[in-house]
């Protein structure tokens, strides 16, 4: 499966952005889709995961970010509201078939898209 992430940009504190992760090769019914982010000098961290049955969020984004899927165009979205400077990072989407409890670990994902930069300016 090939993933294409897009939608990043430079915004102000409190603004919103919507990231897109478009898939080709397989439909999202076959995979769970996660969003991760990596800030300079930091490890890649889990943001959210979508599957047919449920969604998960990191505590740091819960209530501000929403992950959803549009089956018509095989795209998963990450709606990010009330953005903070701490949200500044390169955002990646990834696909997994893993069904265990460690869905938040990057190693459980088999396919990755290229990153999209999100910068939140104060």
């Amino acid at each position: 499966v090939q993933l294409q992430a897009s939608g990043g940009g430079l915004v102000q504190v409190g603004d919103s952005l919507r990231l897109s992760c478009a898939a080709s090769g397989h439909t999202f019914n076959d995979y769970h889709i996660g969003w991760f982010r990596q800030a300079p000098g930091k490890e890649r961290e889990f943001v959210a995961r979508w599957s047919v049955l449920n969604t998960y969020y990191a505590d740091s984004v819960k209530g501000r970010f929403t992950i959803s899927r549009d089956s018509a165009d095989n795209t998963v979205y990450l709606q990010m509201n009330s953005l903070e400077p701490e949200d500044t990072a390169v955002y990646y989407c990834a696909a997994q078939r893993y069904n265990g409890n460690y869905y938040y670990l990057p190693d459980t994902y088999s396919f990755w898209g290229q990153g999209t930069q999100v910068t939140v300016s104060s």
Side-chain angles (χ1 to χ4, degrees):
V1 59
Q2 292 79 45
L3 303 173
Q4 179 77 30
S6 62
L10 172 64
V11 297
Q12 301 293 317
V13 170
D15 284 351
S16 298
L17 270 178
R18 189 178 75 161
L19 305 183
S20 301
C21 179
S24 60
H26 285 273
T27 70
F28 286 135
N29 288 334
D30 301 321
Y31 290 89
H32 313 312
I33 302 299
W35 282 98
F36 288 77
R37 65 187 182 186
Q38 188 165 19
K42 295 188 176 181
E43 293 187 353
R44 192 167 296 191
E45 67 170 351
F46 172 79
V47 175
R49 191 196 85 168
W50 175 90
S51 73
V52 173
L53 294 179
N54 47 35
T55 56
Y56 296 104
Y57 297 93
D59 288 344
S60 59
V61 307
K62 204 172 292 184
R64 299 188 299 122
F65 291 11
T66 302
I67 191 170
S68 62
R69 181 192 78 164
D70 185 334
S71 58
D73 59 9
N74 214 30
T75 300
V76 168
Y77 298 98
L78 185 69
Q79 177 66 43
M80 307 186 296
N81 298 329
S82 302
L83 283 162
E84 304 167 351
E86 293 73 23
D87 296 317
T88 295
V90 177
Y91 284 71
Y92 300 88
C93 62
Q96 65 173 187
R97 279 181 164 166
Y98 175 78
N99 289 309
N101 293 327
Y102 299 102
Y103 56 85
Y104 53 89
L105 295 178
D107 287 348
T108 61
Y109 291 77
S110 302
F111 303 96
W112 290 82
Q114 91 294 351
T116 184
Q117 175 72 46
V118 172
T119 303
V120 184
S121 173
S122 57

